[in-house]
Amino acid sequence: MAAKHKIKNLAERKYQKVYTSDPLATVSPETREKIGQLENYLMKHCLWQFNSRGWDRRKQNAGILGQTAQLLCDEEVNITSPLDKCYWVDAVMLNRAYRELFPWITEMPKEDVKALMRLLNARLDWTLIDGSLNLELTVVNY
Amino acid sequence: MPYHEFECSKVIPERREHAVIKGKGEDLTSCLPKGYLNTIPGTISERGCAYCGAKHVIGTPMKDVIHISHGPVGCTYDTWQTKRYISDNDNFQLKYTFATDVKEKHIVFGAEKLLKQNIIEAFKAFPGTKRMTIYQTCATALIGDDANAIAEEVMEELPDVDIFVCNSPGFGGPSQSGGHHKINIAWINQKVGTLEPEITSDYVINYVGEYNIQGDQEVMLDFFKRMGIQVLSTFTGNGSYDDLRGMHRAHLNVLECARSAEYICDELRDRYGIPRLDIDGFGFKALGDSLRKIGLFFGIEDRAEKIIAEETAKWQPQLDWYKERLKGKRICLWPGGSKLWHWAHAIQEEMGVKVVSVYTKFGHQGDMEKGVSRCGEGALAIDDPNELEGLEALEMLKPHCIFTGKRPGEMAKKVNVPYLNAHAYHNGPWKGFEGWVRFARDIYNAIYSPIHELSLIDISKDEIQSDHSFLTRRMLSDKELPEEIKASTELSEYTGNYDVIAGLRNKTYPEFPRTSANMPKDAA
């Protein structure tokens, strides 16, 4: 028989706002320019950031961008589940593209790269979740 | 907010928030049309209904199934399989369509007996087909016919048959997208996990959200087979009913068409832990990256790279031939749903055209998010337009070509805009490296057909030039090209065959030895 389904983590799926304004609003023009380049690439070429629900997007953004930051800093990535492996695949693709298209990122100190990627994560969370005009993002179920 | 108000819709102020023009610096916090809301009462819409979405779009590409509509015969006619989702079993699902032909008397007295009689008759008429999908319609849902109970009765009487019931009457959602959702969830609730498939490879995927328009699925299947990947099921183009019951055994769900099929993908992730990887079969870069991603996941990226290198070497010069001739042409990208974002950036990058407008008839705001992100500044995005808005947009944008469905396509032809069928294609498949060149060829043929030279002339009164003979498309397209491009021996027009699918069906593939160690090496 087909599996009976129960949503295990309903609480996690309830919409919780993290950002109330654009996290780039107070950063320097240079940082904004860099984030803009990274953001533009993934808006044009990637699909993973557009999952249909806000809670799902939040996990995707953190998972993939977190691993991308590790790869950009030449750190090993720990894969413990098939879902991690999917994040890793998209992170590898992003790592390669960023290194090729934006060589300045390879010359930055590792801590700065991590900070930049955290800011990119915040910017995506704002644009695609907390500041988004998409009315369906707060739906708990798929 | 960069809302765009159509002149023709000024009397419907609610429509004002269903169209935007992307301005400088605009992002998704300021530039996104409303979408997937109930159609505004009294306005005209081009949407399909939820029954159409379930049956026509998702269900009927399943190839070895009697698809029967429980309702008036007109419902079936309107969802007759016109999208050209072909199959490798002699197109059974394209040749036949079934309905219970409900009349007024059945609405009064009930149609359950009629349904049972029809099911048994259909199985008798096609004794080689043992699988069936029953689609509920508005009429029989409103009178409360219990299709599930009838299906159970029949399955008890005929133990060798299996029946799936899809309760997605036309009123079941704001548009056909509601039907996509319902059939996805119904399938995973009723059928997934009821059959154990045979696993023949270390690398097993479900290919989700692929409908085999003109053979798209078979093109992609060729790449997967060349990589030694077992495609357990395709949801649902050229897909087999029993294969789709075994979806729970895949290692990876490869999703192509959010959001007509992302529901089942996400539920498979939630219920069975199968991860979801989004891919794209259109465009050299997107397709190459997709094959690389699947290769990376399984630790067989070298197999993907080999295919990408071979295909790119063969087809890039032909794509570039068209790119040189399509540069700067303005395109309206008006499909029903997902292709607005599948194609928006790729055709601009790889064919040199400019997408000046996207629209969707049933897409959600999530579809528009991707489309708006991938378009450039100045693009007009419209949700659920009516015919007058479409005409007004064409007059404003003056595109060289429009990619859309038959109804808006015919309208566009009247204002001298050539159209390509974005749903059923013109001369597809358009997926794959070769398919992408075929798409470019079809765009080129649409834009440069000499017929447009005459199409706006009123032959009853307008002067027809008689001082020159017939122009060829090449004379039109090459007029302002540099000599080195015109004379290039490296670039060439499309050289493939008209039928690229038949040859794939008897192809032999390399056998890869099975191993359990398929974790990627780069991972710790």
Side-chain angles (χ1 to χ4, degrees):
Chain A
M1 280 300 292
K4 294 282 178 204
H5 181 54
K6 280 184 188 165
I7 298 171
K8 293 173 211 151
N9 46 359
L10 202 60
E12 281 177 30
R13 294 181 171 192
K14 296 236 166 94
Y15 183 74
Q16 291 157 338
K17 217 165 189 167
V18 174
Y19 298 99
T20 51
S21 62
D22 185 355
L24 293 192
T26 53
V27 303
S28 68
E30 294 77 26
T31 306
R32 183 185 282 271
E33 164 63 21
K34 282 178 177 161
I35 295 282
Q37 290 180 28
L38 302 178
E39 184 187 4
N40 185 55
Y41 176 85
L42 62 86
M43 285 294 184
K44 302 286 192 219
H45 296 281
C46 301
L47 291 168
W48 49 260
Q49 70 275 25
F50 289 112
N51 277 15
S52 57
R53 307 303 187 213
W55 57 266
D56 209 6
R57 288 184 181 189
R58 188 100 64 197
K59 280 164 59 181
Q60 292 272 114
N61 291 350
I64 293 167
L65 293 178
Q67 291 197 18
T68 307
Q70 286 183 289
L71 293 169
L72 284 168
C73 295
D74 302 313
E75 293 174 9
E76 286 192 341
V77 175
N78 189 22
I79 298 173
T80 56
S81 68
L83 187 59
D84 278 341
K85 205 166 159 188
C86 267
Y87 290 164
W88 174 80
V89 165
D90 278 313
V92 169
M93 298 300 290
L94 207 54
N95 170 52
R96 289 178 187 169
Y98 280 180
R99 283 174 185 264
E100 184 190 335
L101 296 170
F102 314 117
W104 48 260
I105 207 165
T106 61
E107 291 152 19
M108 287 171 73
K110 290 189 178 11
E111 280 314 305
D112 291 356
V113 171
K114 289 250 171 98
L116 195 71
M117 292 301 289
R118 277 196 296 272
L119 204 49
L120 177 63
N121 191 345
R123 166 71 182 164
L124 276 198
D125 277 3
W126 166 249
T127 316
L128 296 166
I129 306 167
D130 298 327
S132 170
L133 299 168
N134 186 340
L135 300 173
E136 288 184 296
L137 292 177
T138 54
V139 177
V140 175
N141 297 329
Y142 284 119
Chain B
M1 178 63 70
Y3 288 131
H4 174 73
E5 187 173 49
F6 287 99
E7 286 294 320
C8 62
S9 294
K10 280 193 164 159
V11 288
I12 317 168
E14 300 96 320
R15 280 294 301 162
R16 195 171 161 263
E17 296 184 359
H18 288 262
V20 295
I21 294 178
K22 187 176 178 179
K24 189 172 172 57
E26 297 279 4
D27 63 29
L28 297 173
T29 62
S30 60
C31 180
L32 189 69
K34 284 192 172 166
Y36 196 59
L37 300 172
N38 289 343
T39 304
I40 297 159
T43 67
I44 300 294
S45 169
E46 287 179 351
R47 289 167 159 179
C49 68
Y51 153 80
C52 172
K55 180 180 187 287
H56 180 50
V57 180
I58 309 291
T60 43
M62 239 187 284
K63 67 185 174 184
D64 49 5
V65 182
I66 292 169
H67 295 279
I68 191 166
S69 293
H70 185 35
V73 72
C75 293
T76 295
Y77 180 80
D78 284 337
T79 60
W80 186 57
Q81 292 82 332
T82 52
K83 281 185 77 171
R84 294 193 274 180
Y85 24 61
I86 60 176
S87 70
D88 59 5
N89 69 337
D90 204 24
N91 297 315
F92 176 78
Q93 85 284 9
L94 290 179
K95 286 181 185 171
Y96 303 103
T97 189
F98 305 81
T100 50
D101 192 18
V102 166
K103 307 277 195 215
E104 285 90 340
K105 67 177 179 183
H106 302 115
I107 301 299
V108 177
F109 297 109
E112 289 181 353
K113 281 183 189 163
L114 180 75
L115 174 61
K116 185 171 177 183
Q117 177 198 339
N118 271 271
I119 294 170
I120 290 168
E121 274 180 18
F123 277 128
K124 277 189 182 162
F126 294 91
T129 305
K130 301 291 185 190
R131 302 290 178 257
M132 175 180 284
T133 295
I134 301 170
Y135 301 91
Q136 191 72 281
T137 62
C138 292
T140 52
L142 282 168
I143 62 171
D145 272 5
D146 190 343
N148 293 72
I150 300 298
E152 290 293 333
E153 266 183 49
V154 174
M155 284 194 282
E156 273 184 29
E157 288 174 29
L158 306 173
D160 58 342
V161 307
D162 199 88
I163 301 172
F164 165 59
V165 178
C166 180
N167 277 307
S168 179
F171 55 74
S175 74
Q176 69 183 61
S177 186
H180 301 168
H181 190 170
K182 285 178 193 302
I183 194 170
N184 273 249
I185 300 299
W187 185 265
I188 195 161
N189 282 339
Q190 290 179 44
K191 293 301 168 192
V192 173
T194 60
L195 188 141
E196 285 303 317
E198 186 191 355
I199 303 299
T200 58
S201 167
D202 288 330
Y203 318 114
V204 185
I205 65 169
N206 292 314
Y207 187 20
V208 182
E210 163 51 57
Y211 303 97
N212 203 30
I213 309 296
Q214 287 206 288
D216 273 354
Q217 183 257 11
E218 292 176 75
V219 168
M220 296 296 284
L221 216 58
D222 176 58
F223 297 137
F224 298 142
K225 287 180 182 172
R226 284 156 74 181
M227 290 171 70
I229 292 168
Q230 178 186 0
V231 179
L232 200 56
S233 67
T234 305
F235 189 90
T236 56
N238 202 26
S240 153
Y241 187 99
D242 281 353
D243 288 348
L244 285 157
R245 293 165 71 192
M247 294 179 87
H248 59 299
R249 292 298 178 208
H251 304 148
L252 176 67
N253 285 314
V254 169
L255 174 66
E256 181 130 7
C257 186
R259 81 180 266 168
S260 60
E262 74 174 339
Y263 308 100
I264 197 165
C265 227
D266 288 339
E267 289 294 328
L268 284 164
R269 185 172 66 182
D270 218 29
R271 301 182 193 198
Y272 297 97
I274 308 169
R276 155 188 167 175
L277 203 57
D278 291 30
I279 69 154
D280 198 338
F282 295 107
F284 281 27
K285 174 168 167 51
L287 173 57
D289 282 352
S290 298
L291 297 179
R292 278 187 193 101
K293 280 167 63 168
I294 299 167
L296 265 167
F297 184 87
F298 289 122
I300 50 172
E301 199 189 358
D302 54 331
R303 298 180 193 175
E305 290 296 351
K306 187 165 176 276
I307 293 169
I308 295 162
E310 284 171 9
E311 297 282 334
T312 307
K314 184 168 181 186
W315 298 111
Q316 188 72 58
Q318 299 187 28
L319 183 65
D320 290 344
W321 190 94
Y322 292 103
K323 184 178 183 181
E324 290 293 343
R325 288 155 178 85
L326 293 174
K327 270 181 194 163
K329 296 295 177 192
R330 295 187 304 279
I331 301 292
C332 281
L333 189 41
W334 290 8
S338 69
K339 294 203 169 64
L340 79 96
W341 46 268
H342 274 303
W343 294 344
H345 182 64
I347 58 170
Q348 297 188 103
E349 282 290 294
E350 300 187 5
M351 298 185 195
V353 299
K354 180 175 169 55
V355 174
V356 292
S357 175
V358 290
Y359 96 178
T360 171
K361 285 188 275 194
F362 58 83
H364 295 235
Q365 282 185 295
D367 293 296
M368 269 298 187
E369 280 181 296
K370 296 176 222 181
V372 169
S373 296
R374 290 182 164 192
C375 284
E377 280 174 22
L380 168 66
I382 323 168
D383 165 69
D384 186 24
N386 60 46
E387 183 170 324
L388 291 179
E389 289 176 350
L391 271 172
E392 192 178 312
L394 291 182
E395 281 164 15
M396 179 176 88
L397 299 163
K398 299 192 172 21
H400 295 97
C401 192
I402 180 171
F403 309 159
T404 190
K406 283 179 289 186
R407 282 172 292 177
E410 289 303 316
M411 174 197 81
K413 277 154 70 174
K414 291 183 180 186
V415 291
N416 204 31
V417 177
Y419 110 92
L420 283 187
N421 191 327
H423 306 319
Y425 302 170
H426 268 65
N427 297 291
W430 287 346
K431 267 186 191 162
F433 295 88
E434 178 175 0
W436 197 238
V437 179
R438 290 167 75 96
F439 186 24
R441 185 266 320 262
D442 284 358
I443 301 171
Y444 172 82
N445 286 349
I447 290 177
Y448 290 111
S449 170
I451 196 82
H452 304 309
E453 299 288 302
L454 292 169
S455 66
L456 275 192
I457 293 174
D458 180 348
I459 57 170
S460 64
K461 60 182 176 59
D462 291 345
E463 192 70 27
I464 298 176
Q465 287 185 329
S466 54
D467 58 344
H468 61 72
S469 56
F470 190 76
L471 292 167
T472 67
R473 60 191 186 139
R474 192 73 187 268
M475 288 163 74
L476 296 167
S477 70
D478 289 11
K479 202 161 48 184
E480 290 171 14
L481 279 183
E483 198 52 45
E484 68 271 20
I485 298 293
K486 279 195 276 191
S488 169
T489 53
E490 191 192 335
L491 307 181
S492 78
E493 288 182 79
Y494 176 63
T495 57
N497 296 324
Y498 177 74
D499 179 5
V500 294
I501 299 301
L504 296 177
R505 292 183 180 159
N506 301 317
K507 198 171 158 182
T508 52
Y509 291 92
E511 286 197 14
F512 297 98
R514 289 187 66 176
T515 165
S516 55
N518 61 1
M519 280 292 282
K521 288 185 188 122
D522 306 30

